[in-house]
Each structure stands twice: as C-alpha cells, then as structure tokens.
Amino acid sequence: VYSKTLLTGSFTHALKVDWDNQDNSDYSEAEVLPDSFPSAPAEPLPEFLLEPEDAFIVKNRPVQLRCRASPATQIYFKCNGEWVNQNDHVTRESLDQITGLVVREVDISVSRTQVEELFGLEDYWCQCVAWSSAGTTKSNRAYVRIAYLRKNFEQEPLGREVRLEQEVLLQCRPPEGMPAAEVDWLKNEDVIDPSQDSNFLITIDHDLIIKQARLSDTANYTCVARNVVAKRRSSTATLIVFVSGGWSSWTEWSECNAQCGRGWQRRTRSCTNPAPLNGGAFCEGPPFQRVTCTTLCPVDGGWTEWAKWSACGTECTHWRSRECQAPPPRNGGKHCSGSMMESKNCTEGLFINVKSVVPGMGVAVYAGLVGALLLCVILVLCVGVLAYRRRCRHLHGDITDSSSALTAAFHPGNYKPPRQDNPHPLHPSAPPDLTATAGAFRTPLFSLQHGVNDSPHKIPMTTSPLLDPLPSLKIKVYNSSTLSSLELPADMGSGNGEILSLKSVGTIGREREYHSHTLSREPGLSTSATLGNLGGRLTIPNTGVSLLVPPGTIPQGKFYEMYLIINKWDKTTLPSEGSQTVLSPVVSCGPSGMLLNRPVVLTLPHCAQLDTPTPDWTLTLKSQTHQGAWEEVLTVGEETLSSPCYLQLEEECCHVLMEQLGTYGLVGQSCPPQPACKRLQLALFAPRAPCLSLDYSLRIYCIHDTPHAFKEVLDLERSLGGVLLEDPKPLLFKDSYHNLRLSIHDIPHTHWRSKLLAKYQEIPFYHIWSGSQRPLHCTFSLERGSLAVSQLTCKICVRQVEGEGQIFQLHTDIQETLPPHSPLPAGGTCLPSSQVGPYAFRLPDSIRQKICASLDAPSARGCDWRLLARSLGFDRYLNYFATKPSPTGVLLDLWEACHQGDADLVSLATALEEMGKSEVLVVMTTDGEC
C-alpha cells in the first residue's frame, strides 16, 4: 500500500491510493471533500501528450524516458510492475495557455545495470501513469533493450568467376544484432542502388542478384551491416566477368597460288568476336583453313580447215570460211590470228555484168516475192478467224456455271446459261474461276455428293476414325478447253465451326485459299465465370485442367468474364517441333491482356514418366502468339530472373505460376543418354449389344495417360455406338523409334474368323511420339459363323517392338448389354466447374495473413518462407518467389493449386509445426501477445 498526502492551496486533502502489482490497477478516492467547501469544475481524465518510446542502450550510456500528460495532479513511471523511486523522477509543471489545464512532464533514466538485473524471458519495460481527480490513465509500454551487433557474419559473400550475361547470386547473412541490422551492398566502395541500376536486385534476404553480368560488373563487392551500435563489413568478394573468345567470320578464299596446275587456297579467321577477356577461354579450332585447288592452264586457239568454196555470186566471186575451234581458246589463251573468211574471183578473170544483159530483171524478181508474202498472210488470218469462232461455240455449249455446279452437286448438263445477277460473268476467252462465286463452305465434308457423270469412280466417305488421315478429295469439272478442280482437305471435314479451304486451279495457274480461325467453346471442354477481387477457381470436370485466381489478383472494383478452354487437336497448331512431343492438352485461358496484380496458377495434366532416378526429359512450356506461332516461355531447370513463369512438376500434372493469360502447352524431348518414356493408355472398345450382324469389330485406342485424352475417346465411342470392355491398361512408350505392334491370338476358329490378312498391325512410332495425331486406334474385324454364336474368347497383345507391352484377356458375350463407363477424375470426385470467392480456397484468409506476416520477413536462423518452400517441395528456383512482394502468399497459392481436391490442411500445419511456427494458426486473443 502506497499513500501520499497532497497539499492544494490552503486545503489539506488526504487521499489514499491503493496500488497492486498488476498493470491494470485502479485508482480509488479514499475521502470526499466536505459539502461546505466551494465546488470546483470536474477535471477530465489525464491525456498523454507525449508517451515513452522504445529505446536501446548503446554501450553503457543510459537512456532517457519521458512522458507528458494534461491535466495531471501526479505522474510517475512504473517499470516491470514496480514503481520507480520518487527521487529518480525529474518532474516539470507548466500551464497550458489555451486550456488553462496543468501539464506535467516527467523524465527517468534507465541504466544498463537495471536492464541486466532483470531476470526472465520478458524484456525490460516502463510505463507512465498519470492521475487527476477523475481517475488514472496509463501510457503504452516502452521497451528498453541493450543494443548490440555481433562481429561475425552468419554468411559472407564469396568471390566468383562468371561468364558474360550469366545470372549471379551473392549471398549475405548479417550478424545477429539488436535492433536487426540493415544491410547495404558496396561495389568498389560505392553503395549499390537498385533503383538507379535495374540490373541489380537486393532480395528481402539481403542477397544481391545481378540479372545479367556485364563487363562493368567486374568489381569487389562488400556486404555492410549496421545498426545503432556499430557497423560491420564482410570480407570482400571479387567478381570477375570473363568473356570466352569467339571466332570471326571466315575471310574469302585467296586466289590459287599456282598459275597452272595444282596449288593451294587459304582463308583465315581471328579470335576477336569477341576477344577473350578476364581469363576467358581462347577459341577452339584452327585460325586458318587450306584446301587444294587446280588452275586450268591457258590454251591458245587454232584454226579449223577451210570450208568449201561457195557458189559463184553475181559479182563473179565466191567465198570460204574457217573457225577458231581447233582448239578454241580456253582459260585465257590467245585467240587465232588471221581472217575468218577468204574470197576470190570465180571466173578466172572472165567477168560478165548481168544487169547490162537483162535490164529490169532484178525489179521483177523482188515484186514477185512481195506478192507471195501478202497472199500467205491473208490465208493465215482466215484460218485464225475460223478457229476462233469454233472455239467460242464449244465454250458456250459445255461450261456449267460455277455457283450452280456447287449448289447442284455438279449434275451434268449440255448448256446452262449463267445467272443474270452473277457479278462475275464468264469471259468467252478465259477459263472459269470457281472461287469467284463459290466462296467458302461451312457444311461438313460428307454433305457433298457426286454427280453420275463427274467421275467413273466413287470415293467412299465415313465419319469413323481411321489410323491415317483421309487423302485430299478432289471434285473435277471438265470441258473441251479448260480444266478446273475443287480441292477440300480431309482434315477440315468435321466441325461446324471450321471454315473449309476452297482452292481453284485453272489453266492460268491461279490459287486462292480462305481460312478462318475461331476459338470454339464446346461442351465438356470449356468453362467460364465472372471473377473479381475475391478471386476464384475455374475447373473443367474430368480433365485435370484448372485455373486458380488468388484473392487480390484482379484489381479492386473490376470484374472479368474469365474462361478456360481445352483446344481440340484438329483445330489448333500443336507446339511440338523436331524431336519434341506434346505432353499435355493445349489450353487457352483469358481474357488475354488483362492486368493481374499477382500470379495465377494453371494446372495441366501431362503424360511424361518422371519417376526415373536420373532426369531423362527436357521439358519446355510454350505459349502461342496472336499470329498463331509458338514460342518458348521457359525450360524446366533453366529458369532465370527474366523467366515470366514458374513451373511446379508433379508425377501426373504440372502447375504454372504466370502473370500473362493466353494459350499454353507442355512439350518435351529426350535428354541423352537415357531415352524418355511417355505414359500411354490402351482402351478396348466393341459395338454396343445386341449385335445383329455376323461382323464384329474390336477397336484398341492408344492415347495419352491423361484424364482429358480418355474423356475424348469415351465421347467419340459414345457417338459411334461403342462400349468399353475393360478398364484401360497403362503402357510405357519409349523414345526408341520402334513401332507399336498389335496382334490377336487364340480365336476359336470353329465359330469365329479373323479378316486380318497379316499377322499383326503396327502404328508408326512417329504418329504416337509426336502427339499430333487424333486418337489413334487399330481395328480387328471378326466374322462369326452364325447369329447363334454369342461367346467370344481371345487374347489381344499390344507391345512396342523391343519394349514393354500389355495383354487383353477377352471373354465376353456380344449379346449382353454392358453398363456405360463413367470415368471419375484422379481425385475420385467431380469438382464443380467454377468456384467464386472464399469458397474456392481451402485456407481461411485470416490464417493466410498470419502466415504471410510471420514468414515474409527474413529470419537470421532461416526460419522464414524459404524453409516453408523446402518443406512443401517448392524450392527448385527460389529466386522467382524472392522477387514477389509476398513470397509466402505466392507459395500458399501454389499449395492451394496442388491440393484442390483433397482439402489437406494437415500437410501445411505439419510443415509449419516443424518450422516452429504453429502459433500462426491460432488467432491471437490479446494485443499484449502480438
């Protein structure tokens, strides 16, 4: 019990104040002023104008704590639950000029000895208590700690030698200190400012990342830690950026050094593109090349023998000639010297002038020649006119108008005049252009019919899937003078949304082609929802494809109609090229170009076999541009800070963290020396019972081991009237260039007969490995002896040549109706197609915020988001998360995508408990525990 008597003016007022050892003790008035005294206006509760602040004791210098309150009759400090001696207070009193209330200010001094004498886990704290006649008021607690900074760094940067444009990571863990040390990086004693040079990045863990090493980045780097006590410098790490030499282009070959015969030619190059720097490797290979050459020797020309003399001319002379071809001059040899022609008098001097003998004879000869020439020209013109008229008659009698030929399925006719409203009339001298009025077809390919006179051969057409695509179908129209054909590619024959290509080939060689690319949303292959700032999840049921949009991804107040579509194989260009194979469905998510505040997570199933001890896949994520071309986004294991995505691989699916929506697909190729394997499924189908025909067929599909591929085959067989006989069997298909062989055995030949002429069927290796073919299958056609036969027992073997295989032991009753197969996804349940808001996430928002607040800040012991990433298996490339404002939030988004179907909170709670962070899962109840 602590009591104090106060003297106020001429009145003596005894107040007894009881204090307990608790922080929330109350003040009670022991006595009341007598009624005979004049009453004073009621005072308000004290209000703190200045509260004590946290302080650090540097070395042995004490700290001063100060507080100020008004109105206050008394004000004292209480430290660690005990009142500070009155003599240790320095009190000052003043009067507020505005309110007229008494303002009291008090200071105390806390020494290092007082703080060190405190025992227990709680830090040394002090609190200011002020009271007036209305009651007491307590200030916030001010903690007093002894400041220190250890000498040794927990991790110091290490010097390195890196090649030009390589990503560099210099790690630094500052010494333990109170308060926590701030870290700066020095480059040649100059402070690095990432805002001035974007090539530098300092993470929240105090690591320095150089995105692309430049020659100017060759320097000494030092990590500096400092707080109020001291400044510590790490050992200097020397970074050397070297440049390996590169050859320049070869010079032109020099001239052959031999003027005649065999010699040498030489060309050179220099190691200057670039030149090796800072210890970089010199160029490998020779700096010059030399090849043999042969210079042809010059050959001088020689005259041939003289030709015979010509007939004697009107001038009584004749001629003879020779050529410089024996041999002709070659390779710069000299030309023949002398004249090529020689003439002499052929009458041996007896010359007669013909003009003087027959005057006017030459003029008559020339006149006759001109007349004969004119007669020939007239005859040619007459023949041409007759031929032209005959051709026009044939043209008008045989040509059928192009638009009527297309609409009437090319029915024959001797003459059909063109329509009057046809904007492209046929010119009588030009071949018909069928594209001028035909345009483009939107009907299925099998809706076209053949006229009886179009071709003597019929082209059978079917909608059933074949092992190989149909050949191009040509429909031709003939007449006497032109040839035109319409060519419809068979791979565009199905689907109402696809515009077929129409080509016209005429005698003038013109070709026209029309294409239309549309993004079709077919039932079962797409989903959409309107999402806002609360986020959500889009899922295409039974396919394994989903899109997680975390809370805060979409800006506040904005809403987007987001969609998720699986592109059909026959309506998209596949991303594989060369030896690559498609491993996942091609998925489009959008709308593209929308602004995202944080990454979304796209989940794709894949069929790559990943459980081998050594990596045998090179996996690449590709994105499709607006022009339809595919470009690489990232290669797994080769990520850099410029990589726009992060890909988390699991055995049967992958999760892509990305900030740009679009069309994506996963491809892969074997990584030598081990060949990679794809997971395939073999599904056996037969016609739905009852079978009323003697013919019976068994179809075996070879598809990717993904939920989407199996669903596609089920939908196809359902449309064909097929039923699944057994559960699909797995098959590992190796990148060994060997085909897939299928054969049927042990058929009861007394009742059944196989129509297969060969011993087995094969699907080419490339058709399976490329992944670009529609669902591949082989058909075994059987014939039973009579309609009374209903039992079928046989064995079907499927194996890769020199590889693994599977065997179907079939025993079925073809007249027994089998129930339809309804597949479930891998999780065993059918997830809804869209979930909006908090219901789409397994982790409550309050717990998420507590985890982020506890783990985002770097910890000296490493017990932060990095340890959480290792515990969850998301630590393949930590730099991706380090560049995000909240690394823990992105990790939790990825965890949500990986556990969307099982609601497994135990794995996350276990990881947090192993880290010693289990308290973040409990909602804090008092501010004092925060």
Side-chain angles (χ1 to χ4, degrees), residues 696-698 700 742-744 756 761 778-782 796:
Y696 193 76
S697 61
L698 299 173
I700 299 183
L742 301 92
S743 57
I744 188 168
L756 183 64
Q761 301 183 64
C778 279
T779 301
F780 291 98
S781 298
L782 306 176
I796 297 179

Side-chain angles (χ1 to χ4, degrees), residues 554-679:
I554 300 175
Q556 186 73 32
K558 292 186 178 296
F559 294 88
Y560 291 99
E561 177 72 19
M562 303 191 69
Y563 60 83
L564 186 64
I565 302 173
I566 300 178
N567 297 327
K568 298 193 68 174
W569 297 114
D570 54 350
K571 294 184 180 181
T572 185
T573 303
L574 296 182
S576 59
E577 58 183 11
S579 60
Q580 292 179 339
T581 177
V582 180
L583 298 175
S584 74
V586 177
V587 176
S588 297
C589 53
S592 60
M594 64 178 291
L595 178 64
L596 302 179
N597 291 337
R598 60 188 301 169
V600 298
V601 188
L602 176 64
T603 300
L604 299 174
H606 68 79
C607 60
Q609 181 69 10
L610 300 176
D611 60 354
T612 55
T614 58
D616 48 16
W617 279 104
T618 299
L619 301 176
T620 303
L621 181 70
K622 290 191 174 183
S623 173
Q624 192 174 29
T625 63
H626 294 290
Q627 291 75 23
W630 287 92
E631 58 184 15
E632 293 186 5
V633 178
L634 66 86
T635 299
V636 177
E638 300 178 6
E639 295 89 343
T640 63
L641 283 177
S642 59
S643 299
C645 300
Y646 175 83
L647 192 143
Q648 178 68 24
L649 271 176
E650 296 185 350
E651 288 188 3
E652 297 182 353
C653 64
C654 64
H655 310 279
V656 185
L657 282 162
M658 58 186 182
E659 300 182 24
Q660 183 65 43
L661 302 180
T663 301
Y664 292 89
L666 183 68
V667 301
Q669 61 183 5
S670 292
C671 182
Q674 296 295 329
C677 291
K678 291 176 66 173
R679 292 180 290 103

Side-chain angles (χ1 to χ4, degrees), residues 531-532 534-538 547-551 835-837 840-841:
L531 301 183
L534 296 179
R537 190 194 305 265
L538 300 181
L547 179 68
L548 179 74
V549 183
Q835 295 171 294
V836 180
F841 309 101

Side-chain angles (χ1 to χ4, degrees), residues 423-492:
H424 302 281
L426 295 175
H427 193 274
S429 62
D433 185 0
L434 295 181
T435 63
T437 56
F441 290 105
R442 295 184 180 268
T443 56
L445 180 62
F446 43 77
S447 65
L448 296 176
Q449 302 177 355
H450 294 278
V452 294
N453 295 334
D454 292 339
S455 174
H457 304 286
K458 295 292 184 178
I459 301 177
M461 305 183 69
T462 177
T463 59
S464 62
L466 300 177
L467 177 59
D468 295 321
L470 289 171
S472 298
L473 174 63
K474 294 185 177 180
I475 305 174
K476 300 184 177 180
V477 181
Y478 296 95
N479 60 29
S480 59
S481 60
T482 59
L483 171 64
S484 301
S485 67
L486 293 177
E487 182 178 350
L488 300 179
D491 58 353
M492 304 179 69

